[in-house]
């Protein structure tokens, strides 16, 4: 069969293109091989520091640690990070600030971990994060809530506060502003509020942000009382009776763990919920902890868009996968610390992979840190952004509790999602200054 | 009628703190030992009761009354631990300076914190079934948890029984004699070691019972014994060292002032108790009913 000129050109052109492509592939393979040559064979060492003992273990630390373990298994099954398997070092956050500072020093200097993902206590975060720059180790705070962690003493403040210190979640402002927005939207006619918060920085800061926000949003609202029981109080009866006597429409609280359970159970016994609503900052785990006894109609913040039913699993497969995987392993629905753990681990993974693709090998901590600043990733909760001040920014979900036959605890229905720009201060501006600048 | 509930809240707190300070005061009065590990005995009682309740609740066909009877388990274990503490740690300290007793009981407090962690782990224990089952009743238009009334009732019964034991029985009279004059009691041939053991075990069991009774109302966790230990010291300072009447009146004062103080002066709820204790220390250092 005779070949036409056109056929000849096709064949020679194809051969030439093949040679070019083959050349490119060879070049690519060469780069990949070179990169691989720069990636250590040893596993990447990741320390996870959460409360494994004590009062914060059951509601926060153990769910967080469980999530780290589960995800490490999954990432390792998928080949690890840039081909390196993860060696996970699970550490207890108990013991107080001094213990945690010593532990962080040991992890960075002796154990040579590549990153510490840790800390539920704000006090621990504030004590440990300065070590990141001092010792040259990457530290990602994954759950602590203080809004002061990355902020300066006045606005505008310079950032980042720490070159190698990050937080992969939003701070307490999102819940407390979210609660205020929710109250304005769903209960616009209320006249009086009160607060009962634990008497330490967490409780004081949570109330300060909530009070500032609600007074801006509803200027005519009256604060009829604030109560500050010590942490781990076992008898709230006097406080609850005082609240009932003060007759607020809504009570704000940032109780957590056992304190939230004790307060809620005793408040049920004293009939508080038939007279007023309670708005729980970061209250998302509490209904699941208490079960069907948890009262309906209460306002719950989720510490971000972190809820097992939001984003709707049928619309956001990553949440569906995460909820199913966690429930299968641990027999419970994931709570917000689980989502926070995901965010920390996958932020680090994404930053390493991004830096690795640029530098052509395993990146240094400084290179990973550069990639983490401004990073945006998809998570089971939607999207997480880590801003230039090294703090996470998220939307927040706030809902109202409702009993359904399907679940053994009240779910949040309805829920409202307040977008990140409504609940997170702009980078460089302190939270309280930002709220005070609102023109409503 | 909200004030009636405030008083009732005060009585509930009185009941809880009375059992702890009564135990502390018996040990202090009879043996002259300030037991810093008393809070640990309270915590041991709470952990034991919570563990038993959770275990029983997990079994099928367990009758409900058994859950309430099981609350005694905390008192029994705390009493047994008290026996060991007295025999092993306290007995060698008799006749030594107060500093040695304080050091040894403080050491025991630290030791028990770790032992509790070793035995029951670091997680909080939620054993609210006895509280939940009883529910609430209406008193003068206000809801009130029935379990709190049960705690007040049990404390009244136990407090009365201890009073009868101390004032009416031969053993109680010997304990009082020992508390009044240890040397004279020895000279009269009283079995000092046996009496000391009884006093310590009784005090420990009362602390354990307080822990047991509180367990269904709040999660039990590590460090559980510190708050009640401090409150018991305030009661002892106000009521008087080694006085049963002082423990009762001191508890009533602490309970009611805390309850009313939280309503009227919420910002200084903790400080108010310390202020009263400070005033008593200045005006009547031996306490209201101390010797």
């Amino acid at each position: 069969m005779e070949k036409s000129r056109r056929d000849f050109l096709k064949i020679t052109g194809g051969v030439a293109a093949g040679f070019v492509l083959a050349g490119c592939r060879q070049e690519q393979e060469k780069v990949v091989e070179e990169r691989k040559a720069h990636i250590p064979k040893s596993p990447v060492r990741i320390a996870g520091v959460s409360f494994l003992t004590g009062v914060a273990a059951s509601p926060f630390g153990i769910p967080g640690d469980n999530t780290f373990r589960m995800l490490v298994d999954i990432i390792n099954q998928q080949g690890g990070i840039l081909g390196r398997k993860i060696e996970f070092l699970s550490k207890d956050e108990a013991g107080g600030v001094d213990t945690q500072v010593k532990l962080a020093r040991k992890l960075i200097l002796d154990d040579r971990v590549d990153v510490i993902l840790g800390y539920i206590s704000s006090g621990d975060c504030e004590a440990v994060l300065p070590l990141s720059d001092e010792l040259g180790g990457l530290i990602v705070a994954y759950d602590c809530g203080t809004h002061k962690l990355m902020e300066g003493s006045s606005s505008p403040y310079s950032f980042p506060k720490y070159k190698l210190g990050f937080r992969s979640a939003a701070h307490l402002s999102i819940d407390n502003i979210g609660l205020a927005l929710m109250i304005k939207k769903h209960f616009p006619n209320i006249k009086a509020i009160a607060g009962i918060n634990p008497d330490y920085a967490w409780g004081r800061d949570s109330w300060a942000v909530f009070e500032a926000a609600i007074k801006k949003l509803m200027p005519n609202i009256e604060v009829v009382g604030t109560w500050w029981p010590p942490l781990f109080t076992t008898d709230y009866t006097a406080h609850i009776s005082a609240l009932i006597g003060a007759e607020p429409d809504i009570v704000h609280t940032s109780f957590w763990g056992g304190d939230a359970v004790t307060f809620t159970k005793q408040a049920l016994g004293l009939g508080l919920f038939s007279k007023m609503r309670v708005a729980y900052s970061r209250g998302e785990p509490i209904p699941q902890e208490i079960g069907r006894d948890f009262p309906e109609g209460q306002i719950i913040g989720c510490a971000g868009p972190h809820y097992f039913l939001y984003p709707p699993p049928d619309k956001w497969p990553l949440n569906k996968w995460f909820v199913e995987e966690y429930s299968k392993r641990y027999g419970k629905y994931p709570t917000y610390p689980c989502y926070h753990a995901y965010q920390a681990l996958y932020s680090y993974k994404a930053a390493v992979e991004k830096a690795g693709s640029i530098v052509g090998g395993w990146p240094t901590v400084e290179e990973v840190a550069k990639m983490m600043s401004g990073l945006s990733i998809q998570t089971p909760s939607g999207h997480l952004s880590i801003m230039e001040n090294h703090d996470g920014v998220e939307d927040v979900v706030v809902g109202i509790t409702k009993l359904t036959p399907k679940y053994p605890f009240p779910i949040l229905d309805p829920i409202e999602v307040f977008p990140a720009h409504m609940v997170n201060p702009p980078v460089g501006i302190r939270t309280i200054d930002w709220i005070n600048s609102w023109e409503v | 009628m909200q004030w009636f509930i405030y008083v009732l809240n005060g009585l509930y707190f009185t009941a809880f703190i009375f059992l702890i300070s009564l135990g502390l005061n018996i040990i202090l009065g009879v043996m002259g030992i300030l037991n810093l590990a008393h809070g640990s005995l309270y915590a041991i009682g709470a952990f034991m009761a919570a563990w038993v309740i959770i275990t029983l609740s997990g079994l099928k066909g367990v009758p409900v009354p058994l859950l309430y009877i099981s609350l005694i388990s905390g008192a029994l274990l705390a009493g047994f631990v008290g026996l060991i503490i007295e025999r092993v740690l306290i007995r060698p300290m008799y006749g030594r300076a107060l500093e040695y007793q304080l050091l040894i009981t403080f050491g025991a407090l630290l030791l028990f914190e770790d032992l509790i962690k070793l035995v029951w782990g670091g997680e909080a224990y939620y054993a609210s079934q006895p509280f939940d089952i009883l529910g609430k009743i209406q008193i003068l238009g206000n809801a009130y948890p029935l379990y709190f009334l049960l705690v007040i009732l049990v404390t009244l019964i136990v407090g009365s029984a201890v009073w009868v034991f101390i004032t009416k029985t031969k053993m109680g009279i010997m304990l009082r004699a020992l508390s009044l004059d240890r040397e004279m009691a020895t000279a009269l041939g009283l079995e000092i070691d046996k009496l000391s053991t009884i006093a310590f075990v009784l005090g420990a069991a009362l602390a354990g019972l307080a822990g047991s009774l509180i367990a269904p109302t709040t999660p039990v966790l590590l460090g559980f014994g510190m708050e009640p230990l401090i409150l018991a010291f305030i009661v002892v300072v106000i009521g008087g060292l080694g006085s049963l009447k002082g423990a009762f009146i001191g508890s009533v004062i602490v309970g009611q002032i805390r309850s009313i103080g939280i309503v009227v002066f919420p910002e200084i709820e903790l400080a108010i108790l310390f202020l009263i204790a400070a005033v008593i220390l200045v005006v009547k250092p031996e306490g209201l009913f101390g010797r």
Side-chain angles (χ1 to χ4, degrees):
Chain A
M1 203 168 74
E2 254 187 60
K3 298 274 182 201
S4 69
R5 183 170 169 268
R6 188 175 295 251
D7 289 336
F8 175 77
L9 284 175
K10 267 185 192 172
I11 291 164
T12 51
V15 170
F19 275 117
V20 171
L21 283 175
C24 284
R25 198 180 301 126
Q26 276 177 348
E27 192 60 32
Q28 264 183 345
E29 281 168 3
K30 196 177 155 196
V31 170
V32 169
E33 285 309 309
E34 276 177 11
R35 268 179 56 185
K36 279 184 181 169
H38 288 99
I39 294 173
K41 298 261 185 295
S42 59
V44 50
R45 307 193 87 194
I46 296 179
V49 187
S50 313
F51 284 107
L52 303 179
T53 57
V55 64
S58 175
F60 309 122
I62 289 170
D65 189 68
N66 281 345
T67 308
F68 280 136
R69 290 167 185 275
M70 176 183 95
L71 296 175
V72 163
D73 285 351
I74 290 167
I75 292 171
N76 280 342
Q77 281 163 17
Q78 293 169 347
I81 302 177
L82 292 182
R84 289 178 75 185
K85 293 282 168 79
I86 299 172
E87 181 188 346
F88 183 67
L89 285 74
S90 172
K91 299 290 177 185
D92 192 352
E93 196 182 334
V97 166
D98 290 344
T99 307
Q100 287 313 311
V101 167
K102 282 180 196 159
L103 175 64
R105 282 184 180 280
K106 181 179 174 295
L107 288 170
I108 294 170
L109 297 177
D110 298 341
D111 298 337
R112 299 271 170 195
V113 297
D114 292 272
V115 64
I116 298 175
L117 311 176
Y119 311 110
I120 287 153
S121 151
S122 293
D124 290 340
C125 275
E126 288 184 310
V128 169
L129 246 65
L131 295 178
S132 58
D133 289 354
E134 185 191 326
L135 306 177
L138 194 63
I139 302 178
V140 180
Y142 88 93
D143 189 65
C144 60
T146 176
H147 59 299
K148 295 169 181 165
L149 186 63
M150 301 300 186
E151 291 185 352
S153 54
S154 62
S155 298
Y157 61 86
S158 58
F159 54 84
K161 205 168 176 179
Y162 312 109
K163 283 181 188 160
L164 300 178
F166 293 83
R167 174 163 52 192
S168 55
H171 55 65
L172 61 78
S173 76
I174 61 168
D175 262 52
N176 294 294
I177 296 171
L179 288 175
L181 290 164
M182 186 77 172
I183 289 168
K184 188 183 179 188
K185 185 165 185 182
H186 284 259
F187 311 102
N189 299 320
I190 65 156
K191 304 230 167 352
I193 55 162
I196 181 162
N197 289 279
D199 192 12
Y200 75 114
W202 171 257
R204 297 271 172 182
D205 289 347
S206 296
W207 171 255
V209 171
F210 173 76
E211 186 185 27
I214 197 87
K215 281 184 171 172
K216 273 283 178 183
L217 294 168
M218 302 172 79
N220 296 324
I221 209 158
E222 185 192 357
V223 177
V224 293
T226 51
W227 282 266
W228 305 100
L231 199 59
F232 311 143
T233 294
T234 52
D235 172 26
Y236 288 104
T237 54
H239 304 89
I240 293 162
S241 294
L243 277 169
I244 292 171
E247 298 182 346
D249 299 299
I250 292 177
V251 180
H252 168 274
T253 186
S254 55
F255 283 145
W256 51 268
D259 284 352
V261 174
T262 306
F263 170 77
T264 305
K265 290 235 171 197
Q266 295 184 0
L268 275 165
L270 285 157
L272 178 128
F273 294 104
S274 63
K275 293 178 170 131
M276 62 197 72
R277 293 175 198 275
V278 177
Y280 292 82
S281 167
R282 288 200 172 195
E284 181 265 337
I286 306 167
Q288 198 177 165
E289 195 79 53
I290 291 181
R292 293 192 78 84
D293 287 345
F294 191 92
E296 289 189 288
Q298 309 312 308
I299 309 159
I300 303 281
C302 295
H306 311 310
Y307 194 47
F308 76 106
L309 295 174
Y310 183 86
D314 56 328
K315 294 193 170 69
W316 192 255
L318 195 50
N319 197 26
K320 184 173 189 287
W321 167 80
F322 186 63
V323 171
E324 285 176 357
E325 199 70 28
Y326 188 89
S327 308
K328 197 168 67 190
R329 288 202 188 208
Y330 302 114
K332 281 183 173 181
Y333 295 106
T335 49
Y336 79 78
C338 306
Y339 290 91
H340 280 173
Y342 180 101
Q343 291 181 171
L345 187 56
Y346 276 83
S347 296
Y348 174 70
K349 182 173 182 283
V352 169
E353 287 171 347
K354 203 171 163 188
S357 71
I358 293 169
V359 301
W362 188 263
T364 63
V365 284
E366 289 80 8
E367 288 160 351
V368 177
K370 274 185 187 159
M371 290 301 113
M372 278 198 91
S373 183
L375 184 78
S376 192
I377 61 164
Q378 284 192 348
T379 74
S381 312
H383 294 92
L384 164 77
S385 297
I386 297 177
M387 307 306 282
E388 292 77 7
N389 63 350
H390 292 191
D391 222 347
V393 162
E394 301 172 88
D395 302 342
V396 70
V397 164
V398 182
I400 297 175
T401 52
K402 181 184 174 185
L403 271 171
T404 61
K406 193 174 173 188
Y407 298 100
F409 53 88
I411 58 163
L412 302 183
D413 183 17
I415 61 167
E416 297 286 346
V417 185
F418 298 105
H421 72 271
M422 287 179 78
V423 290
N424 294 270
V427 173
I429 305 296
R430 292 164 73 239
T431 305
I432 292 292
D433 296 336
W434 175 59
I435 295 170
N436 288 335
S437 73
W438 289 355
E439 288 178 10
V440 183
Chain B
M1 292 307 284
Q2 190 68 21
W3 284 99
F4 181 76
I5 295 294
Y6 298 158
V7 172
L8 215 51
N9 289 335
L11 276 180
Y12 166 66
F13 196 76
T14 296
F16 148 68
I17 206 69
F18 172 63
L19 286 176
I20 307 168
S21 53
L22 181 62
L24 190 69
N25 240 349
I26 287 173
I27 294 170
L28 187 65
V30 174
M31 304 166 70
I33 285 177
L34 190 57
N35 180 22
L36 292 178
H38 200 66
S40 303
L41 295 164
Y42 161 85
I44 286 169
F47 269 100
M48 182 65 184
W51 179 76
V52 172
I53 290 165
I54 291 168
T55 308
L56 287 176
S57 302
L59 303 173
K60 281 184 181 170
V62 173
V64 171
L66 196 59
L67 288 179
Y68 294 92
I69 295 166
S70 71
L71 290 172
I72 298 167
S73 61
L76 293 176
L77 182 66
F80 178 70
V81 173
L83 177 73
I84 295 169
I85 295 177
E86 199 276 331
R87 288 278 164 87
V88 177
L89 297 177
I90 305 290
R91 196 165 285 188
M93 292 297 120
Y94 289 137
R96 295 215 183 182
L98 180 68
E99 294 85 358
Y100 288 96
Q101 298 169 4
L102 289 177
L103 277 175
I104 199 87
T105 54
F106 183 65
L109 181 149
L110 299 177
L111 183 75
F112 279 116
E113 202 60 16
D114 277 346
L115 277 177
I116 288 171
K117 192 172 163 183
L118 199 68
V119 174
W120 284 290
E123 279 207 58
Y125 278 67
Y126 293 77
S128 64
Q129 291 83 351
F131 179 85
D132 296 338
I133 289 167
L134 281 182
K136 57 190 171 191
I137 56 162
Q138 291 292 321
I139 303 175
L140 300 172
N142 297 289
Y144 201 76
L146 208 49
Y147 184 81
F148 290 164
L149 295 179
L150 178 74
V151 172
I152 295 171
L153 182 69
V154 170
T155 305
L156 265 177
I157 293 167
V158 172
S160 304
V162 171
W163 182 78
V164 169
F165 172 71
I166 297 287
T167 58
K168 306 288 180 195
T169 66
K170 190 180 170 189
M171 184 73 77
I173 291 165
M174 288 194 287
L175 284 173
R176 278 195 293 150
L178 186 58
S179 76
L180 285 170
D181 193 327
R182 196 175 183 90
E183 280 185 21
M184 182 60 81
T186 313
L188 288 172
L190 296 186
E191 292 178 89
I192 304 295
D193 285 354
K194 187 178 156 193
L195 288 172
S196 296
T197 305
I198 289 168
F200 203 91
V201 169
L202 178 62
L206 286 169
L209 181 64
S212 298
L213 289 172
I214 212 77
T217 70
T218 184
V220 181
L221 42 106
L222 285 174
F224 202 59
M226 288 312 289
E227 184 205 1
L229 179 68
I230 293 165
L231 289 168
F233 278 135
I234 294 176
V235 168
V236 170
V237 166
I238 293 173
L241 302 174
S243 160
L244 297 194
K245 201 196 314 178
F248 178 69
I249 301 293
S251 300
V252 172
I253 291 172
V254 166
Q256 292 304 333
I257 286 182
R258 179 182 178 269
S259 178
I260 307 297
I262 285 170
V263 178
V264 184
F265 311 109
E267 278 288 346
I268 54 166
E269 66 165 89
L270 253 188
I272 204 165
L273 294 178
F274 287 103
L275 276 173
I276 291 164
V279 170
I280 295 280
L281 277 176
V282 172
V283 178
K284 208 168 182 299
E286 70 277 16
L288 295 176
F289 298 94
R291 283 178 261 122

